[in-house]
Amino acid sequence: MSSSLHLLADIRQSSERRPFSVLQLAEPLLNTNSVSATDDAYLVYEQVFISAIDERQIELAKALLLLLRKRFPASLRVKRLYGMINEAVGHPDEAQSIYTEMLATDPTNVLASKRLIALLKAAGHTDEAVAQLAAYLDTHSNDFEAWLELAHLYMRNHRLAQAAFCLEEVILQQPANHYFHLCYAELCYSMGRLDLALKEYLRVVELSTDNLRAFYGVKLVADRIRELRARSKKDPTLCIDDAPQPATLDRLAQLATERLVAIYSRANQVTKTTAELWLSS
């Protein structure tokens, strides 16, 4: 019993979502009623409840919810679980009412806000999810995962400038994460902000050696800037003022090509040949 409880505690501490393992560990404890005598009994009940929801064991979840509501009848934390089980059984309107009521009582309730946002997103109400997420970030601006989620929602609606702002907030909080710089670089490229895209791709290369997408980005941006610079002789509106000098662009494109060839030299022959054809075109 003790080892199972310790393993359940470890899973809680790590915030891992391992419902099958949790249910396996908890089953003998629940069958022998061994949990009720422990200090962490209600934490275990909550943990197993969420795992039961994930594994569609609704009857087990309902039984645990009754225990939790009996012990904590006025708890907002337990009320959130009631909302989750309504989601699980296909009653999204009731779940939304519960989360909205919770936020009316406590507007700073993180768990209720996130469940409501997830519910709105799953239902396809993107605009409402965006509004709720923006309101959440007014209070919890240091939640970089929420900024990242808002960026994805904006991109889904093709609101690229707003998505770029959100990714900038993410990078401010996670400056050493190469993936966020890569997302921002690709977004800047899509928006035509080529000078900034090039800087961000190079930042990715600095943070993550031999990053394939980053080297592709460096080559694509360098080639695109050189193309626009050549066309700008006839059409000055195409000129990119903040772009590197032609010699620097040539060197960057050459280095990116060399690294891509080196990376693909370790791939199978078909992939290697396809990459070489693209790079030589």
Side-chain angles (χ1 to χ4, degrees), residues 248-262:
T248 303
L249 286 173
D250 292 343
R251 183 61 179 152
L252 287 172
Q254 179 185 351
L255 287 172
T257 301
E258 290 172 358
R259 292 311 307 148
L260 286 168
V261 170

Side-chain angles (χ1 to χ4, degrees), residues 10-11 127 221:
D10 289 341
I11 294 173
D127 290 340
V221 174

Side-chain angles (χ1 to χ4, degrees), residues 118-267:
L119 181 63
L120 292 170
K121 181 183 173 184
H125 303 316
T126 305
D127 290 340
E128 293 179 44
V130 166
Q132 187 63 40
L133 193 47
Y136 168 82
L137 284 165
D138 285 340
T139 308
H140 305 91
S141 59
N142 62 340
D143 188 341
F144 78 90
E145 291 179 334
W147 283 111
L148 189 61
E149 180 63 29
L150 185 56
H152 290 156
L153 289 175
Y154 277 135
M155 282 188 276
R156 181 182 294 182
N157 283 352
H158 308 289
R159 298 167 67 179
L160 301 187
Q162 291 89 339
F165 175 83
C166 294
L167 286 177
E168 288 164 5
E169 290 290 334
V170 173
I171 290 171
L172 280 174
Q173 297 180 40
Q174 298 286 317
N177 190 314
H178 74 274
Y179 175 72
F180 299 143
H181 286 277
L182 182 61
C183 291
Y184 186 50
E186 292 174 342
L187 182 59
C188 288
Y189 183 82
S190 300
M191 296 170 65
R193 299 168 63 181
L194 299 181
D195 53 331
L196 187 53
L198 182 59
K199 292 176 184 177
E200 288 298 315
Y201 278 126
L202 292 172
R203 180 62 175 154
V204 176
V205 171
E206 181 183 358
L207 293 170
S208 175
T209 306
D210 282 353
N211 188 293
L212 194 64
R213 284 168 63 181
F215 281 119
Y216 264 122
V218 171
K219 178 166 173 53
L220 283 170
V221 174
D223 289 348
R224 180 62 174 162
I225 292 175
R226 288 187 297 181
E227 176 193 347
L228 291 176
R229 185 167 279 162
R231 291 169 56 191
S232 68
K233 295 175 182 178
K234 295 183 179 179
D235 185 357
T237 61
L238 298 176
C239 182
I240 302 175
D241 297 328
D242 295 332
Q245 293 301 309
T248 303
L249 286 173
D250 292 343
R251 183 61 179 152
L252 287 172
Q254 179 185 351
L255 287 172
T257 301
E258 290 172 358
R259 292 311 307 148
L260 286 168
V261 170
I263 294 169
Y264 275 115
S265 67
R266 303 189 290 269

Side-chain angles (χ1 to χ4, degrees), residues 9 50 69 96 99 102 106 108 122 125 132 158 163 188:
I50 294 172
R69 292 186 71 186
Q96 184 173 343
Y99 300 141
M102 289 174 65
D106 178 13
T108 64
H125 303 316
Q132 187 63 40
H158 308 289
C188 288

